[in-house]
Amino acid sequence: MKKALVIGGGLVGSMQAANLARRGLRVKLIERRLDLRKIELQAGKSINLALSTRGWKALDMLGISDRVKKIAIPMYGRQIHDIHGNESFQSYGKEGQAIYSVSRGELNSVLLDAAESYDSVEMNFQTKCVGVDFENSLAHFQDSVTGETFEEQADLIFATDGAFSAARADMQRTARFNYQQEFIPHGYRELLLPASSKGDYLMEKNALHIWPRGGFMLIALPNPDGSFTCTLFMPYEGENSFGNLDSDEAIDSFFKKQFPDFYEMMPDLVGDYKSHPLSDLVIIRCYPWLKNTTCLMGDSSHAIVPFYGQGMNSGFEDCSVMDDLLDENSGNWLATLDAFQKKRKPDADAIAELAMRNYIEMRDSVADPNFILRKKIEASLHENHGDKWIPLYSQVTFSHIRYSEALREGKRHDKIMAEVMNRPDISEVWNTLEIESKALELANSGKLL
Protein backbone atom coordinates (compact mmCIF):
# COMPACT_ATOMS: atom_id res chain seq x y z
CA MET A 1 0.00 0.00 0.00
CA LYS A 2 1.41 3.38 -1.04
CA LYS A 3 1.88 5.97 1.68
CA ALA A 4 0.81 9.56 1.06
CA LEU A 5 1.70 12.54 3.22
CA VAL A 6 -0.64 15.54 3.22
CA ILE A 7 0.88 18.76 4.59
CA GLY A 8 -1.97 20.99 5.76
CA GLY A 9 -5.38 19.99 7.08
CA GLY A 10 -7.49 22.83 5.73
CA LEU A 11 -10.28 22.41 3.22
CA VAL A 12 -8.21 21.08 0.32
CA GLY A 13 -5.87 19.02 2.49
CA SER A 14 -8.67 17.26 4.36
CA MET A 15 -10.53 16.59 1.12
CA GLN A 16 -7.40 15.23 -0.56
CA ALA A 17 -6.62 13.04 2.45
CA ALA A 18 -10.13 11.56 2.39
CA ASN A 19 -9.96 10.89 -1.34
CA LEU A 20 -6.50 9.33 -1.18
CA ALA A 21 -7.78 6.96 1.49
CA ARG A 22 -10.82 6.20 -0.66
CA ARG A 23 -8.35 5.35 -3.41
CA GLY A 24 -6.65 2.80 -1.16
CA LEU A 25 -3.60 4.75 0.06
CA ARG A 26 -2.28 4.95 3.59
CA VAL A 27 -2.43 8.63 4.52
CA LYS A 28 -0.80 10.82 7.14
CA LEU A 29 -2.21 14.34 7.44
CA ILE A 30 -0.19 16.90 9.40
CA GLU A 31 -1.63 20.30 10.32
CA ARG A 32 0.09 23.19 12.16
CA ARG A 33 -3.07 24.46 13.87
CA LEU A 34 -5.26 22.93 16.57
CA ASP A 35 -7.89 20.41 15.58
CA LEU A 36 -10.71 22.86 14.92
CA ARG A 37 -13.29 20.20 15.78
CA LYS A 38 -12.18 20.55 19.40
CA ILE A 39 -12.59 24.32 19.62
CA GLU A 40 -15.72 26.44 19.53
CA LEU A 41 -16.48 27.74 16.06
CA GLN A 42 -17.93 31.22 15.74
CA ALA A 43 -19.40 33.00 12.74
CA GLY A 44 -17.47 35.95 11.46
CA LYS A 45 -13.99 34.52 12.01
CA SER A 46 -13.20 34.06 8.32
CA ILE A 47 -14.77 34.98 5.01
CA ASN A 48 -17.83 32.80 4.54
CA LEU A 49 -17.49 30.53 1.57
CA ALA A 50 -19.70 30.36 -1.50
CA LEU A 51 -19.99 26.72 -2.52
CA SER A 52 -20.92 26.14 -6.15
CA THR A 53 -21.04 23.45 -8.83
CA ARG A 54 -17.33 22.63 -8.96
CA GLY A 55 -17.16 22.21 -5.21
CA TRP A 56 -20.28 20.04 -5.08
CA LYS A 57 -18.73 17.64 -7.62
CA ALA A 58 -15.77 17.05 -5.30
CA LEU A 59 -18.06 16.57 -2.30
CA ASP A 60 -20.10 14.08 -4.34
CA MET A 61 -16.85 12.25 -5.07
CA LEU A 62 -16.48 11.67 -1.32
CA GLY A 63 -20.18 10.95 -0.83
CA ILE A 64 -20.68 13.73 1.74
CA SER A 65 -22.83 16.26 -0.15
CA ASP A 66 -25.90 15.50 1.95
CA ARG A 67 -23.98 16.25 5.15
CA VAL A 68 -22.79 19.58 3.76
CA LYS A 69 -26.25 20.57 2.54
CA LYS A 70 -27.40 20.54 6.18
CA ILE A 71 -25.03 23.42 7.01
CA ALA A 72 -25.32 25.33 3.71
CA ILE A 73 -27.73 28.15 2.84
CA PRO A 74 -28.71 28.70 -0.81
CA MET A 75 -28.24 32.20 -2.21
CA TYR A 76 -30.15 32.69 -5.45
CA GLY A 77 -28.72 36.07 -6.38
CA ARG A 78 -27.30 39.40 -5.33
CA GLN A 79 -29.33 41.75 -3.16
CA ILE A 80 -28.01 45.20 -4.07
CA HIS A 81 -28.21 48.00 -1.48
CA ASP A 82 -27.80 51.53 -2.82
CA ILE A 83 -26.52 54.48 -0.81
CA HIS A 84 -30.08 55.51 0.09
CA GLY A 85 -30.95 52.10 1.51
CA ASN A 86 -33.00 50.97 -1.49
CA GLU A 87 -32.67 47.31 -2.53
CA SER A 88 -32.85 45.40 -5.80
CA PHE A 89 -32.32 41.74 -6.65
CA GLN A 90 -30.20 40.24 -9.44
CA SER A 91 -30.49 36.49 -10.06
CA TYR A 92 -27.27 34.51 -10.42
CA GLY A 93 -28.55 32.13 -13.07
CA LYS A 94 -31.67 30.32 -14.17
CA GLU A 95 -34.53 29.79 -11.73
CA GLY A 96 -33.46 27.50 -8.91
CA GLN A 97 -29.72 27.95 -9.46
CA ALA A 98 -27.88 29.07 -6.33
CA ILE A 99 -24.51 29.33 -4.69
CA TYR A 100 -24.37 28.20 -1.06
CA SER A 101 -23.14 30.09 1.98
CA VAL A 102 -21.23 27.77 4.29
CA SER A 103 -18.99 28.26 7.31
CA ARG A 104 -15.36 27.51 6.55
CA GLY A 105 -14.87 25.93 9.98
CA GLU A 106 -17.97 23.73 9.83
CA LEU A 107 -17.14 22.53 6.32
CA ASN A 108 -13.55 21.81 7.33
CA SER A 109 -14.86 19.76 10.27
CA VAL A 110 -17.04 17.66 7.97
CA LEU A 111 -14.06 17.00 5.69
CA LEU A 112 -11.78 16.06 8.59
CA ASP A 113 -14.43 13.65 9.82
CA ALA A 114 -14.66 12.18 6.32
CA ALA A 115 -10.91 11.62 6.21
CA GLU A 116 -10.77 10.21 9.72
CA SER A 117 -13.53 7.73 8.93
CA TYR A 118 -10.91 5.67 7.06
CA ASP A 119 -8.74 3.39 9.19
CA SER A 120 -5.83 4.13 6.85
CA VAL A 121 -5.73 7.84 7.80
CA GLU A 122 -3.61 9.19 10.67
CA MET A 123 -3.74 12.86 11.74
CA ASN A 124 -1.30 15.08 13.63
CA PHE A 125 -2.22 18.60 14.76
CA GLN A 126 -0.18 21.47 16.22
CA THR A 127 2.73 20.29 14.09
CA LYS A 128 4.35 22.55 11.52
CA CYS A 129 6.29 21.69 8.40
CA VAL A 130 9.81 23.13 8.54
CA GLY A 131 11.14 21.81 5.25
CA VAL A 132 10.83 19.31 2.41
CA ASP A 133 13.55 17.18 0.83
CA PHE A 134 12.08 16.70 -2.63
CA GLU A 135 14.77 14.34 -3.89
CA ASN A 136 14.11 11.85 -1.10
CA SER A 137 10.36 12.47 -0.70
CA LEU A 138 10.95 13.47 2.89
CA ALA A 139 9.35 16.23 4.97
CA HIS A 140 10.60 17.68 8.26
CA PHE A 141 8.25 18.72 11.07
CA GLN A 142 8.28 20.29 14.51
CA ASP A 143 5.75 19.65 17.26
CA SER A 144 4.54 23.10 18.31
CA VAL A 145 3.87 21.95 21.89
CA THR A 146 7.00 19.97 22.75
CA GLY A 147 9.40 21.50 20.24
CA GLU A 148 10.47 18.03 19.14
CA THR A 149 11.41 17.54 15.48
CA PHE A 150 10.84 14.50 13.29
CA GLU A 151 10.65 13.52 9.66
CA GLU A 152 8.16 11.65 7.52
CA GLN A 153 8.92 9.81 4.30
CA ALA A 154 6.20 8.93 1.82
CA ASP A 155 5.69 7.68 -1.70
CA LEU A 156 3.68 10.82 -2.47
CA ILE A 157 3.61 14.23 -0.75
CA PHE A 158 0.78 16.70 -1.26
CA ALA A 159 1.43 20.26 -0.04
CA THR A 160 -1.92 21.86 0.75
CA ASP A 161 -0.58 24.29 3.34
CA GLY A 162 -1.96 27.53 1.97
CA ALA A 163 -0.84 30.73 0.32
CA PHE A 164 2.30 30.95 2.46
CA SER A 165 3.17 27.27 2.07
CA ALA A 166 6.33 26.00 3.77
CA ALA A 167 6.68 23.33 1.08
CA ARG A 168 6.45 25.89 -1.70
CA ALA A 169 9.00 28.09 0.06
CA ASP A 170 11.47 25.24 -0.33
CA MET A 171 10.44 24.76 -3.96
CA GLN A 172 11.30 28.40 -4.57
CA ARG A 173 14.92 27.52 -3.83
CA THR A 174 15.02 24.83 -6.50
CA ALA A 175 16.14 25.26 -10.10
CA ARG A 176 13.80 26.71 -12.73
CA PHE A 177 10.94 27.45 -10.34
CA ASN A 178 8.85 30.50 -11.25
CA TYR A 179 7.04 32.38 -8.50
CA GLN A 180 4.99 35.56 -8.28
CA GLN A 181 3.29 37.04 -5.21
CA GLU A 182 0.98 40.02 -5.62
CA PHE A 183 -0.73 41.88 -2.80
CA ILE A 184 -3.57 43.94 -4.23
CA PRO A 185 -4.06 47.53 -2.91
CA HIS A 186 -7.20 46.47 -1.07
CA GLY A 187 -7.66 44.65 2.22
CA TYR A 188 -10.67 43.37 4.11
CA ARG A 189 -12.15 43.57 7.57
CA GLU A 190 -15.05 41.49 8.81
CA LEU A 191 -18.08 42.37 10.88
CA LEU A 192 -20.86 40.24 12.29
CA LEU A 193 -24.47 41.37 11.89
CA PRO A 194 -26.35 39.44 14.61
CA ALA A 195 -29.82 37.97 14.32
CA SER A 196 -32.78 39.90 15.67
CA SER A 197 -33.78 39.56 19.31
CA LYS A 198 -36.17 36.81 18.17
CA GLY A 199 -33.41 34.98 16.29
CA ASP A 200 -34.66 36.05 12.86
CA TYR A 201 -32.68 37.29 9.87
CA LEU A 202 -32.64 41.07 9.58
CA MET A 203 -32.23 40.87 5.78
CA GLU A 204 -33.23 38.48 3.01
CA LYS A 205 -31.80 35.09 3.97
CA ASN A 206 -31.33 33.54 0.52
CA ALA A 207 -29.16 36.20 -1.11
CA LEU A 208 -25.63 37.52 -1.10
CA HIS A 209 -25.96 41.14 -0.04
CA ILE A 210 -23.76 43.77 -1.69
CA TRP A 211 -23.35 47.46 -0.96
CA PRO A 212 -21.37 48.57 -4.09
CA ARG A 213 -19.77 51.98 -3.76
CA GLY A 214 -17.28 52.24 -6.63
CA GLY A 215 -13.76 51.49 -5.44
CA PHE A 216 -14.95 49.70 -2.30
CA MET A 217 -17.85 47.54 -1.14
CA LEU A 218 -19.48 45.73 1.75
CA ILE A 219 -20.91 42.22 1.37
CA ALA A 220 -22.90 39.93 3.68
CA LEU A 221 -23.49 36.17 3.64
CA PRO A 222 -26.08 34.39 5.81
CA ASN A 223 -25.26 32.03 8.68
CA PRO A 224 -27.59 29.28 10.00
CA ASP A 225 -28.10 31.10 13.34
CA GLY A 226 -29.74 34.12 11.70
CA SER A 227 -26.61 36.26 11.64
CA PHE A 228 -24.66 37.50 8.61
CA THR A 229 -20.91 37.40 8.14
CA CYS A 230 -20.09 40.76 6.56
CA THR A 231 -16.88 41.85 4.89
CA LEU A 232 -15.71 45.35 3.98
CA PHE A 233 -13.32 45.40 1.03
CA MET A 234 -11.52 48.70 0.61
CA PRO A 235 -8.15 50.26 -0.31
CA TYR A 236 -5.57 50.76 2.41
CA GLU A 237 -4.98 54.35 1.32
CA GLY A 238 -7.00 57.15 -0.26
CA GLU A 239 -10.19 59.10 0.43
CA ASN A 240 -12.35 56.07 1.23
CA SER A 241 -9.81 53.75 2.80
CA PHE A 242 -8.94 51.81 5.91
CA GLY A 243 -6.21 54.34 6.54
CA ASN A 244 -8.80 57.04 7.19
CA LEU A 245 -10.86 54.96 9.64
CA ASP A 246 -8.48 55.79 12.48
CA SER A 247 -10.93 56.79 15.22
CA ASP A 248 -14.30 55.75 16.61
CA GLU A 249 -15.83 58.91 15.16
CA ALA A 250 -14.38 58.24 11.69
CA ILE A 251 -15.66 54.65 11.69
CA ASP A 252 -19.13 55.66 12.84
CA SER A 253 -19.39 58.52 10.35
CA PHE A 254 -18.15 56.42 7.43
CA PHE A 255 -20.68 53.62 7.89
CA LYS A 256 -23.52 56.02 8.60
CA LYS A 257 -22.84 57.84 5.34
CA GLN A 258 -21.92 54.93 3.03
CA PHE A 259 -24.14 52.11 4.33
CA PRO A 260 -27.09 53.75 6.13
CA ASP A 261 -29.38 50.70 6.20
CA PHE A 262 -26.57 48.46 7.47
CA TYR A 263 -25.60 51.09 10.05
CA GLU A 264 -29.13 51.07 11.49
CA MET A 265 -29.10 47.28 11.92
CA MET A 266 -25.73 47.03 13.71
CA PRO A 267 -26.04 47.19 17.52
CA ASP A 268 -22.33 47.92 18.19
CA LEU A 269 -20.77 48.79 14.87
CA VAL A 270 -17.61 50.48 16.15
CA GLY A 271 -16.91 47.79 18.72
CA ASP A 272 -17.46 44.98 16.24
CA TYR A 273 -15.33 46.71 13.59
CA LYS A 274 -12.42 47.07 16.00
CA SER A 275 -12.70 43.47 17.22
CA HIS A 276 -11.80 42.02 13.80
CA PRO A 277 -8.35 42.32 12.23
CA LEU A 278 -7.55 44.06 8.96
CA SER A 279 -6.32 41.40 6.55
CA ASP A 280 -4.47 41.34 3.23
CA LEU A 281 -5.51 39.92 -0.13
CA VAL A 282 -2.84 38.08 -2.11
CA ILE A 283 -2.55 36.34 -5.47
CA ILE A 284 0.01 33.53 -5.84
CA ARG A 285 1.23 32.24 -9.19
CA CYS A 286 3.96 29.64 -9.53
CA TYR A 287 5.18 26.74 -11.67
CA PRO A 288 5.99 23.90 -11.73
CA TRP A 289 3.75 22.48 -9.03
CA LEU A 290 5.57 19.15 -9.00
CA LYS A 291 9.06 18.30 -7.73
CA ASN A 292 9.79 14.59 -7.90
CA THR A 293 6.81 13.16 -5.94
CA THR A 294 5.79 16.34 -4.08
CA CYS A 295 2.81 18.19 -5.56
CA LEU A 296 1.39 21.60 -4.64
CA MET A 297 -2.40 21.92 -4.54
CA GLY A 298 -4.94 24.62 -3.70
CA ASP A 299 -3.72 27.96 -2.37
CA SER A 300 -0.13 26.76 -2.12
CA SER A 301 0.00 26.74 -5.93
CA HIS A 302 -2.68 29.24 -6.95
CA ALA A 303 -4.07 31.50 -4.21
CA ILE A 304 -6.60 34.01 -5.54
CA VAL A 305 -8.70 36.88 -4.23
CA PRO A 306 -12.23 35.89 -3.10
CA PHE A 307 -14.34 37.97 -5.47
CA TYR A 308 -15.65 35.16 -7.66
CA GLY A 309 -16.27 32.83 -4.72
CA GLN A 310 -14.01 30.30 -6.43
CA GLY A 311 -11.00 29.95 -4.12
CA MET A 312 -12.39 26.92 -2.32
CA ASN A 313 -14.20 25.63 -5.40
CA SER A 314 -11.03 25.72 -7.50
CA GLY A 315 -9.13 23.94 -4.72
CA PHE A 316 -11.80 21.26 -4.53
CA GLU A 317 -11.70 20.98 -8.31
CA ASP A 318 -7.96 20.28 -8.00
CA CYS A 319 -8.93 17.15 -6.07
CA SER A 320 -11.63 15.99 -8.49
CA VAL A 321 -9.51 16.71 -11.59
CA MET A 322 -6.62 14.75 -10.09
CA ASP A 323 -9.00 11.90 -9.34
CA ASP A 324 -10.26 11.87 -12.95
CA LEU A 325 -6.70 11.95 -14.28
CA LEU A 326 -5.74 9.00 -12.10
CA ASP A 327 -8.39 6.96 -13.91
CA GLU A 328 -7.19 8.22 -17.29
CA ASN A 329 -3.64 7.18 -16.41
CA SER A 330 -4.65 3.73 -15.14
CA GLY A 331 -3.57 4.47 -11.58
CA ASN A 332 -0.06 5.65 -12.53
CA TRP A 333 0.59 8.38 -9.97
CA LEU A 334 3.67 9.99 -11.55
CA ALA A 335 1.92 10.31 -14.92
CA THR A 336 -1.15 11.65 -13.13
CA LEU A 337 0.72 14.34 -11.20
CA ASP A 338 2.53 15.60 -14.29
CA ALA A 339 -0.73 15.68 -16.28
CA PHE A 340 -2.41 17.45 -13.35
CA GLN A 341 -0.01 20.39 -13.22
CA LYS A 342 -0.05 20.84 -17.00
CA LYS A 343 -3.84 20.80 -17.15
CA ARG A 344 -4.56 22.93 -14.10
CA LYS A 345 -1.99 25.71 -14.47
CA PRO A 346 -3.85 27.54 -17.32
CA ASP A 347 -7.09 27.26 -15.36
CA ALA A 348 -5.46 28.57 -12.18
CA ASP A 349 -4.16 31.62 -14.05
CA ALA A 350 -7.58 32.17 -15.62
CA ILE A 351 -9.56 32.12 -12.36
CA ALA A 352 -7.04 34.52 -10.81
CA GLU A 353 -7.80 36.98 -13.62
CA LEU A 354 -11.53 36.33 -13.45
CA ALA A 355 -11.58 36.98 -9.69
CA MET A 356 -10.08 40.44 -10.11
CA ARG A 357 -12.47 41.21 -12.98
CA ASN A 358 -15.39 40.24 -10.77
CA TYR A 359 -14.24 42.55 -7.97
CA ILE A 360 -14.52 45.49 -10.34
CA GLU A 361 -17.95 44.25 -11.40
CA MET A 362 -19.20 43.83 -7.83
CA ARG A 363 -17.97 47.14 -6.46
CA ASP A 364 -18.50 49.33 -9.55
CA SER A 365 -20.90 47.79 -12.08
CA VAL A 366 -23.79 46.03 -10.35
CA ALA A 367 -25.55 49.35 -9.70
CA ASP A 368 -24.95 50.65 -13.26
CA PRO A 369 -28.18 50.65 -15.39
CA ASN A 370 -26.23 49.67 -18.53
CA PHE A 371 -24.66 46.72 -16.72
CA ILE A 372 -28.06 45.60 -15.43
CA LEU A 373 -29.53 45.87 -18.93
CA ARG A 374 -26.68 43.86 -20.42
CA LYS A 375 -27.25 41.13 -17.84
CA LYS A 376 -30.95 41.04 -18.76
CA ILE A 377 -30.08 40.55 -22.43
CA GLU A 378 -27.61 37.79 -21.62
CA ALA A 379 -30.08 36.08 -19.30
CA SER A 380 -32.70 36.12 -22.06
CA LEU A 381 -30.22 34.65 -24.56
CA HIS A 382 -29.28 31.95 -22.07
CA GLU A 383 -32.93 31.15 -21.35
CA ASN A 384 -33.91 30.91 -25.03
CA HIS A 385 -30.65 29.58 -26.51
CA GLY A 386 -28.81 27.84 -23.69
CA ASP A 387 -26.81 25.75 -26.17
CA LYS A 388 -25.46 28.85 -27.91
CA TRP A 389 -25.03 31.39 -25.10
CA ILE A 390 -23.90 30.75 -21.53
CA PRO A 391 -23.12 33.91 -19.53
CA LEU A 392 -19.62 34.03 -18.10
CA TYR A 393 -20.86 33.87 -14.50
CA SER A 394 -22.82 30.70 -15.26
CA GLN A 395 -19.83 29.14 -17.01
CA VAL A 396 -17.67 29.75 -13.95
CA THR A 397 -20.22 29.03 -11.24
CA PHE A 398 -22.75 26.55 -12.59
CA SER A 399 -20.70 24.39 -14.96
CA HIS A 400 -17.52 22.35 -15.22
CA ILE A 401 -16.26 24.30 -18.24
CA ARG A 402 -12.56 24.90 -17.75
CA TYR A 403 -11.77 28.32 -16.27
CA SER A 404 -9.40 29.04 -19.16
CA GLU A 405 -12.14 28.32 -21.70
CA ALA A 406 -14.65 30.41 -19.74
CA LEU A 407 -12.25 33.35 -19.67
CA ARG A 408 -11.69 33.19 -23.44
CA GLU A 409 -15.42 32.96 -24.10
CA GLY A 410 -16.14 35.74 -21.61
CA LYS A 411 -13.80 38.11 -23.45
CA ARG A 412 -15.55 37.24 -26.72
CA HIS A 413 -18.91 37.94 -25.08
CA ASP A 414 -17.61 41.33 -23.95
CA LYS A 415 -16.94 42.30 -27.58
CA ILE A 416 -20.30 40.99 -28.76
CA MET A 417 -22.24 42.79 -26.05
CA ALA A 418 -20.30 46.02 -26.55
CA GLU A 419 -21.56 46.06 -30.13
CA VAL A 420 -25.11 45.15 -29.09
CA MET A 421 -25.18 47.77 -26.33
CA ASN A 422 -23.88 50.42 -28.73
CA ARG A 423 -27.37 50.94 -30.18
CA PRO A 424 -28.74 54.31 -29.05
CA ASP A 425 -32.21 52.82 -28.49
CA ILE A 426 -31.05 49.63 -26.78
CA SER A 427 -33.05 50.34 -23.61
CA GLU A 428 -36.26 50.32 -25.68
CA VAL A 429 -35.56 47.37 -27.98
CA TRP A 430 -33.41 45.09 -25.82
CA ASN A 431 -36.07 42.42 -25.42
CA THR A 432 -36.81 41.94 -29.13
CA LEU A 433 -36.12 39.23 -31.68
CA GLU A 434 -33.95 41.73 -33.60
CA ILE A 435 -31.50 42.15 -30.71
CA GLU A 436 -31.51 38.43 -29.96
CA SER A 437 -30.76 37.62 -33.60
CA LYS A 438 -28.00 40.22 -33.74
CA ALA A 439 -26.25 38.81 -30.68
CA LEU A 440 -26.51 35.23 -31.96
CA GLU A 441 -25.27 36.28 -35.40
CA LEU A 442 -22.19 37.86 -33.83
CA ALA A 443 -21.69 34.83 -31.61
CA ASN A 444 -21.82 32.46 -34.56
CA SER A 445 -19.82 34.59 -36.98
CA GLY A 446 -16.43 33.98 -35.38
CA LYS A 447 -15.40 37.55 -36.24
CA LEU A 448 -15.10 38.70 -32.63
CA LEU A 449 -12.39 36.36 -31.41
Side-chain angles (χ1 to χ4, degrees), residues 11 36 46-49 102-109 299:
L11 294 168
L36 55 78
S46 66
I47 296 177
N48 266 41
L49 304 168
V102 62
S103 158
R104 178 189 299 273
E106 289 188 60
L107 179 56
N108 205 161
S109 294
D299 282 355

Side-chain angles (χ1 to χ4, degrees), residues 266-417:
M266 283 291 290
D268 180 21
L269 189 145
V270 173
D272 191 70
Y273 178 91
K274 293 167 69 175
S275 71
H276 294 93
L278 176 58
S279 302
D280 300 321
L281 293 165
V282 67
I283 302 168
I284 301 291
R285 300 178 180 91
C286 65
Y287 198 78
W289 298 351
L290 180 65
K291 289 288 182 180
N292 192 16
T293 60
T294 298
C295 184
L296 304 176
M297 297 179 68
D299 282 355
S300 66
S301 55
H302 55 86
I304 62 174
V305 292
F307 305 119
Y308 227 120
Q310 288 296 305
M312 170 192 62
N313 290 289
S314 65
F316 282 0
E317 192 173 54
D318 280 355
C319 299
S320 61
V321 166
M322 185 177 291
D323 191 71
D324 291 341
L325 288 171
L326 188 60
D327 287 334
E328 291 178 22
N329 287 281
S330 305
N332 184 318
W333 271 105
L334 290 181
T336 295
L337 295 180
D338 186 50
F340 169 77
Q341 65 170 352
K342 289 175 179 174
K343 181 171 185 177
R344 289 298 283 169
K345 172 60 174 170
D347 295 327
D349 289 343
I351 191 56
E353 181 177 341
L354 285 163
M356 281 306 299
R357 281 166 54 110
N358 209 50
Y359 181 34
I360 296 168
E361 176 176 310
M362 291 173 73
R363 77 184 191 201
D364 299 349
S365 304
V366 292
D368 179 2
N370 283 332
F371 172 84
I372 295 170
L373 181 58
R374 170 182 164 167
K375 291 300 180 185
K376 287 181 179 179
I377 296 172
E378 291 198 76
S380 177
L381 287 167
H382 186 40
E383 185 69 32
N384 298 329
H385 304 277
D387 58 330
K388 298 177 181 177
W389 190 283
I390 305 175
L392 176 60
Y393 189 88
S394 293
Q395 291 185 57
V396 171
T397 307
F398 301 122
S399 87
H400 299 291
I401 295 169
R402 291 184 61 176
Y403 290 129
S404 53
E405 294 175 9
L407 177 59
R408 283 194 298 271
E409 188 68 3
K411 289 179 177 178
R412 196 169 75 92
H413 282 186
D414 286 344
K415 295 177 181 178
I416 293 169
M417 292 308 298

Side-chain angles (χ1 to χ4, degrees), residues 3-14:
K3 177 183 176 181
L5 176 64
V6 178
I7 304 172
L11 294 168
V12 176
S14 51

Side-chain angles (χ1 to χ4, degrees), residues 210-238:
I210 307 178
W211 290 258
R213 296 298 180 261
F216 64 100
M217 68 175 180
L218 178 70
I219 69 169
L221 281 75
N223 296 308
D225 65 356
S227 67
F228 286 84
T229 297
C230 311
T231 312
L232 175 63
F233 296 98
M234 196 162 62
Y236 282 98
E237 300 174 349

Side-chain angles (χ1 to χ4, degrees), residues 15 51-60 312-313 316-317:
M15 170 169 281
L51 184 59
S52 56
T53 298
R54 298 171 199 270
W56 284 115
K57 177 184 177 181
L59 294 168
D60 287 340
M312 170 192 62
N313 290 289
F316 282 0
E317 192 173 54

